[in-house]
Amino acid sequence: MRPVPVVDPLDRRIRAEQIRLLYAQAPLGAVASLLIAPLLALVLWDAVPSRVLLIWLALLETAVLLRLALALAFQRRTRDAAGSLDAWATRYAWACAASGVGWGGCVVLLALAPSLVYETFIALILGGVLMGGVLTMTPVLSVYLAYALPLALPPLLWLLLQGDPLRVAMGASGVLYLFLALGAAHRHHQTLIQSLRLALDNLGLAQSFAKAKEQAEEGHRRLAEQQAALRGSIQAMRELYEVISTPRRHPGEQIQAMLAMGCQHFGLAIGILSHVEGERYEIVQAMAADGGLTPGDCFALGDTYCRETLRAEEPLAFERASTGPRRQHPCYHRFGLEAYLGAPVRVGGRCYGTLNFSDVQPRPTPFTPVDRELIQLMAQWVGGALEQEQMAAAAQRQQTLLAHASRLNTLGEMATGLAHEINQPITAITLYSEMALTRIRQASVEPADLRETLEKIAAQSARAQAIIQHVRHFARQSKPQYTAVRIDELFDDIADFLRLEARRRYVQLRQDIAPNLPPVLADALQVQQVILNLVRNAVDAIADTEGARAIGVSARPDQAFIELAVRDTGPGVTPDLLGQLPHPFFTTKADGLGLGLSISQAIVEAHGGRLWATPNTDGPGVTFYFTLPVATRANLREHPAVALSLETG
Ligand code: ADP
């Protein structure tokens, strides 16, 4: 028996189900045959020779047992590929054919039966067995045919060939029953196939529904994950924004806040900003739960995971070093760091170091893409902040140099006057010395007179020394040093210069410093430079004026500031020029550089103050004002210029 070639997957499955059903019903049919055959033999025991009966029974029961054995073997089979199922169908068809032949062997019993009653009984049993096969074998129609035809044809032929009308009629109705049985089997088979097709279609539908549901659930799960990641990234951005937008006086504080935020966000105990030069890894700022790391601590770069981060030029992250190849890493051996997240920091396009977070405890959850994005952003921000800081420090250095050059220039311009100023006490010293010598030569000197003259000489030489001291002090180059400075002391130190300037143009200089002014937070030298610039400008402006020639210098408190003013009676400044005054290189003087006011403005603003000019309303001339912050504990501790000392490579 050849299996029908099956191509369509659904047909293939239907075929498989048919064969399974065939075998599922096989025990029922086989057991029925096992019981009916002995019953028939028992009824015929006295009518037919027992040897014939026993041979028939043995042959039939062997064939039926074969079917039963096949049914059991089918239940125990391991795999059921479609091909092998077809082989099982073929095997069962052969077994059923053998059974059919066995039942067909009843033709011998018919021939030996002594009466029509026995023959009728045999025919009745055969009809029942034929109809029983319809119920159990129709899942595979060929199996039923293999069973029914050898079963029915021999007895029917025998009956038809007997010649007497009754037996011929029995044979004819048997033929009719055979056709009815085959028709019923075919019908039953078709219905079964349709039911199976319907069931499998339904199953397919149910499966596709289950698959669609699974896909929908998977999509939902992914969406939920994406939402969670999005929420995480919004939260991270908010934290980052809070850190960088909180106003702080110094970028170092912001970086420290960022390290704290990173430790908390990534759930790691250590946060480090490192500076790497060659093989040297230096901690610039650190955040460690146990406080065991301090800025300035140095390590070999190879002993840190940062070497990998710098080589990769992108964020590096791992949660548990001990379970991977990194358990051999020197960093794991030395420090036992399990979890790590780091990113390179670049300043001005060059590699500066790394921003990294780590912990000796493994991280229970894996780092997410958002974590990597976040550390990248943090490292970029830190690089930008360091670059800004470097630029500010460079600008500060430039300004210090420029201010120094400007002071030297001022001194150069005042050289003649200063020489004259120093010359005065020297001339006096010479006169007093000659006078004393003359008296000594004349031996007419009284010790009291001589002491008085010598005291005058000492006073004049102290005076000359003071002037020289002030010049040297004013000419020195130094980094800005912000301290609490008294305004009156500021003026005392440059009194010589101011007087000299006033005398240069026969100008009257008035000083009006309010008593008990609080000290200001300032670099004394730079503020003196501003005052001298303003007074010199005022003197220059007054030079060609007729009438009153006066300059007033004053200082008064104004809330958290001290306001200083230099007022002159010169020609003043036209409103259109007023805005241009502090521009570098703006000058109306033939030999002017146009730098005095711009340097003064930069100095005042670096102090946190303001410089401006207002035309006088109650007389000729203009008044230049500038403010300086009153020194407090807080601003003394936190002044930015003091903190501008992070020197970088
Ligand atoms: P410089 O003194 O070398 O010109 P400054 O920056 O000190 O440079 O001054 C810029 C210009 O501002 C001066 O050339 C002058 O025209 C104007 N100016 C400054 N102070 C006064 C003043 N008190 N009265 C009138 N004009 C002034």
Side-chain angles (χ1 to χ4, degrees):
M1 178 151 320
R2 299 223 159 266
V4 183
V6 180
V7 181
D8 182 15
L10 182 62
D11 287 348
R12 193 188 287 267
R13 289 186 62 196
I14 290 173
R15 171 95 183 143
E17 283 307 314
Q18 281 173 257
I19 295 167
R20 272 193 207 99
L21 208 59
L22 179 73
Y23 271 100
Q25 293 175 354
L28 188 68
V31 168
S33 290
L34 274 179
L35 294 176
I36 291 168
L39 186 72
L40 181 64
L42 206 64
V43 171
L44 296 179
W45 191 254
D46 291 330
V48 176
S50 51
R51 217 155 41 134
V52 176
L53 262 181
L54 287 175
I55 291 170
W56 168 79
L57 191 62
L59 286 173
L60 180 68
E61 295 292 60
T62 307
V64 175
L65 282 172
L66 185 68
R67 277 165 58 193
L68 205 58
L70 268 176
L72 287 175
F74 182 82
Q75 304 300 338
R76 294 203 182 142
R77 84 205 185 284
T78 46
R79 274 206 163 279
D80 53 348
S84 70
L85 275 179
D86 279 333
W88 279 101
T90 312
R91 274 177 220 137
Y92 196 68
W94 280 111
C96 286
S99 275
V101 171
W103 283 112
C106 279
V107 71
V108 181
L109 304 181
L110 275 176
L112 294 175
S115 68
L116 194 65
V117 177
Y118 283 106
E119 287 172 29
T120 311
F121 181 69
I122 292 168
L124 190 76
I125 293 290
L126 286 177
V129 172
L130 185 73
M131 292 315 285
V134 173
L135 295 177
T136 58
M137 291 173 190
T138 43
V140 179
L141 202 54
S142 55
V143 170
Y144 183 66
L145 286 176
Y147 177 68
L149 294 179
L151 179 152
L153 289 180
L156 288 177
L157 278 175
W158 184 82
L159 283 171
L160 289 171
L161 292 174
Q162 290 311 303
D164 66 297
L166 200 61
R167 286 189 176 83
V168 171
M170 273 171 67
S173 37
V175 171
L176 192 68
Y177 290 154
L178 176 63
F179 277 111
L180 280 176
L182 290 176
H186 181 256
R187 195 68 184 258
H188 189 240
H189 176 78
Q190 290 300 334
T191 315
L192 190 78
I193 298 277
Q194 276 171 7
S195 312
L196 281 176
R197 189 176 290 280
L198 214 61
L200 287 176
D201 273 349
N202 277 350
L203 193 69
L205 271 178
Q207 277 173 349
S208 16
F209 175 73
K211 202 169 171 188
K213 196 174 153 215
E214 209 173 273
Q215 280 173 348
E217 277 170 3
E218 172 70 13
H220 187 71
R221 197 177 53 74
R222 277 214 205 112
L223 205 68
E225 273 175 14
Q226 280 170 358
Q227 270 180 344
L230 202 67
R231 267 198 299 276
S233 93
I234 290 172
Q235 176 64 17
M237 288 307 134
R238 192 173 293 148
E239 286 171 18
L240 186 63
Y241 175 75
E242 264 170 33
V243 168
I244 59 182
S245 63
T246 305
R248 291 184 174 87
R249 295 197 69 92
H250 185 242
E253 282 177 30
Q254 242 151 351
I255 293 173
Q256 199 64 26
M258 184 167 286
L259 289 175
M261 176 222 125
C263 285
Q264 208 213 339
H265 184 87
F266 301 127
L268 301 172
I270 304 166
I272 295 175
L273 169 65
S274 73
H275 180 38
V276 175
E277 247 178 38
E279 285 301 304
R280 188 164 168 274
Y281 173 99
E282 183 187 343
I283 293 180
V284 178
Q285 280 184 248
M287 176 90 207
D290 61 356
L293 293 169
T294 25
D297 285 355
C298 288
F299 304 97
L301 179 62
D303 284 353
T304 69
Y305 296 130
C306 291
R307 183 199 281 278
E308 281 181 62
T309 311
L310 292 176
R311 273 194 190 145
E313 293 187 351
E314 60 180 22
L316 173 72
F318 50 87
E319 298 80 21
R320 186 187 283 267
S322 54
T323 52
R326 287 195 185 86
R327 66 174 175 272
Q328 310 292 352
H329 199 286
C331 187
Y332 186 67
H333 278 292
R334 261 194 85 178
F335 310 111
L337 290 178
E338 286 276 13
Y340 173 90
L341 175 66
V345 174
R346 300 182 70 78
V347 175
R350 287 197 305 142
C351 170
Y352 173 87
T354 61
L355 179 71
N356 64 81
F357 296 89
S358 54
D359 204 316
V360 289
Q361 298 295 331
R363 193 170 191 263
T365 49
F367 289 109
T368 62
V370 174
D371 292 332
R372 285 166 216 265
E373 287 283 326
L374 182 62
I375 188 135
Q376 180 97 306
L377 267 179
M378 288 163 84
Q380 276 170 4
W381 183 87
V382 168
L386 289 176
E387 194 170 342
Q388 244 180 344
E389 199 178 3
Q390 283 183 1
M391 278 158 61
Q396 175 77 36
R397 280 195 294 272
Q398 290 301 322
Q399 196 198 310
T400 308
L401 284 175
L402 199 62
H404 181 238
S406 165
R407 281 200 302 279
L408 291 182
N409 184 51
T410 305
L411 284 177
E413 286 172 359
M414 291 168 65
T416 321
L418 280 170
H420 177 71
E421 194 75 355
I422 296 166
N423 212 24
Q424 273 185 340
I426 291 174
T427 311
I429 290 167
T430 313
L431 283 173
Y432 288 132
S433 308
E434 281 172 2
M435 207 165 79
L437 276 173
T438 313
R439 286 194 178 174
I440 288 168
R441 277 193 213 106
Q442 289 169 354
S444 62
V445 64
E446 287 296 316
D449 288 348
L450 193 58
R451 196 184 66 221
E452 193 187 325
T453 311
L454 287 174
E455 277 172 359
K456 283 178 180 165
I457 291 173
Q460 289 301 324
S461 66
R463 165 99 193 96
Q465 207 177 355
I467 296 170
I468 292 167
Q469 188 65 31
H470 288 152
V471 171
R472 283 177 62 183
H473 174 78
F474 200 69
R476 81 175 195 276
Q477 183 180 12
S478 67
K479 271 190 181 177
Q481 286 188 342
Y482 290 79
T483 52
V485 180
R486 293 187 57 83
I487 299 288
D488 46 359
E489 286 174 5
L490 268 180
F491 277 97
D492 284 350
D493 281 351
I494 51 167
D496 288 330
F497 300 158
L498 297 180
R499 204 174 38 250
L500 190 71
E501 281 301 301
R503 254 208 326 263
R504 181 158 67 95
R505 303 284 191 192
Y506 310 105
V507 174
Q508 192 187 359
L509 184 71
R510 286 188 214 122
Q511 206 165 301
D512 176 20
I513 311 293
N516 301 326
L517 282 178
V520 289
L521 175 75
D523 175 74
L525 190 60
Q526 288 194 349
V527 176
Q528 286 165 346
Q529 183 173 0
V530 174
I531 296 169
L532 193 59
N533 276 344
L534 297 181
V535 169
R536 278 168 53 78
N537 275 345
V539 169
D540 286 343
I542 283 177
D544 302 326
T545 43
E546 304 292 325
R549 300 161 74 85
I551 294 175
V553 183
S554 62
R556 66 175 188 90
D558 179 16
Q559 295 176 18
F561 291 87
I562 300 293
E563 184 187 272
L564 292 102
V566 177
R567 176 189 167 105
D568 65 53
T569 53
V573 184
T574 54
D576 55 321
L577 283 188
L578 210 55
Q580 297 191 46
L581 296 187
H583 290 176
F585 307 112
F586 172 79
T587 181
T588 54
K589 300 172 195 168
D591 54 352
L593 287 176
L595 286 175
L597 282 179
S598 67
I599 289 173
S600 298
Q601 189 178 44
I603 288 173
V604 170
E605 284 177 358
H607 280 72
R610 186 163 82 83
L611 184 146
W612 72 101
T614 315
N616 296 335
T617 48
D618 54 350
V622 64
T623 303
F624 278 82
Y625 297 92
F626 69 96
T627 54
L628 293 171
V630 170
T632 61
R633 262 174 213 274
N635 66 13
L636 268 173
R637 206 172 41 238
E638 293 176 8
H639 193 271
V642 178
L644 272 171
S645 55
L646 185 66
E647 297 291 331
T648 49

